[in-house]
Amino acid sequence: MADDLPADRPADKASAAKTGATEAPQYRTATLSHRKPTRFRWLPDGPARAALARDLDLPRIDQLSFVGEITPEGRADFRLTASLKAQLTQACSITLAPVPASIDEEVTRRYLADWVDPEADEYEIPEDDSQEAIPELLDIAAVACEALSLALPPWPRAEGADLGEAVFAPPGETPLTEDVLKPFAGLAALMKKDDKP
């Protein structure tokens, strides 16, 4: 049962941790168990969801749960795996109208003891982008916030919202439209004419 509790929180929070405390757990990584998983469960209350919505520039987050475990790997590394579920509202990228969204993501982070930050100005991002250095303090709310920001639809659109086509040209000139700029549109039309008997 002790593994369900944040390493730096008092034991009297045990009942809150079991039921999904609204306060996000934080773990000092130096005290995490290297023998068995440390389980966590964060179900933020209304004020915590409102603060998270402000941080992510969202109109609101109606529900959010972040449940998982931190598992030891090898002698010094850890792997965090969790399920992130959320019901929230985004602003339409065209009209700013509210757009409901449902998030259901599996989250993985690997915390490596021998991680070395790249020193070059330019470097190739590895395929496995879940790896990072072991932090001194592992804040579950920060991990959930980052995971949620990455899972959000990038260009939410309200039903019927259309960006349209902006057309510009100097005075007296015929503006170039998207149809004109399609190089094979005219060719396709000519081929249809040639196919007629």
Side-chain angles (χ1 to χ4, degrees), residues 94-112:
I94 298 171
T95 66
L96 300 181
V99 180
S102 181
I103 306 294
D104 188 352
E105 289 280 322
E106 294 304 312
V107 177
T108 301
R109 297 284 182 275
R110 293 186 62 219
Y111 300 105
L112 308 179

Side-chain angles (χ1 to χ4, degrees), residues 164-177:
E165 182 180 5
V167 179
F168 303 98
E173 297 281 329
T174 303
L176 291 174
T177 63

Side-chain angles (χ1 to χ4, degrees), residues 138-150:
L138 184 50
D139 185 347
I140 295 302
V143 178
C145 181
E146 178 190 51
L148 183 58
S149 70
L150 293 171

Side-chain angles (χ1 to χ4, degrees), residues 13-75:
K13 300 236 178 176
S15 59
K18 278 184 75 174
T19 58
T22 57
E23 193 174 348
Q26 295 180 338
Y27 300 93
R28 295 201 183 283
T29 52
T31 61
L32 285 172
S33 172
H34 282 277
R35 293 192 307 271
K36 53 187 177 181
T38 300
R39 293 179 180 82
F40 61 85
R41 183 174 181 220
W42 183 43
L43 306 172
D45 61 5
R49 291 195 311 271
L52 186 57
R54 281 192 302 275
D55 288 346
L56 296 175
D57 199 23
L58 296 171
R60 70 176 192 267
I61 299 174
D62 297 311
Q63 296 176 2
L64 187 133
S65 69
F66 193 56
V67 180
E69 63 183 21
I70 304 162
T71 309
E73 280 195 339
R75 295 174 64 102

Side-chain angles (χ1 to χ4, degrees), residues 126-144:
E127 274 188 45
D128 183 1
D129 61 357
S130 67
Q131 300 177 5
E132 58 187 89
I134 294 180
E136 184 179 330
L137 186 69
L138 184 50
D139 185 347
I140 295 302
V143 178

Side-chain angles (χ1 to χ4, degrees), residues 73-94:
E73 280 195 339
R75 295 174 64 102
D77 300 339
F78 291 95
R79 177 188 295 266
L80 179 148
T81 53
S83 173
L84 173 68
K85 295 179 190 273
Q87 298 293 327
L88 52 88
T89 301
Q90 293 180 274
C92 173
S93 58
I94 298 171

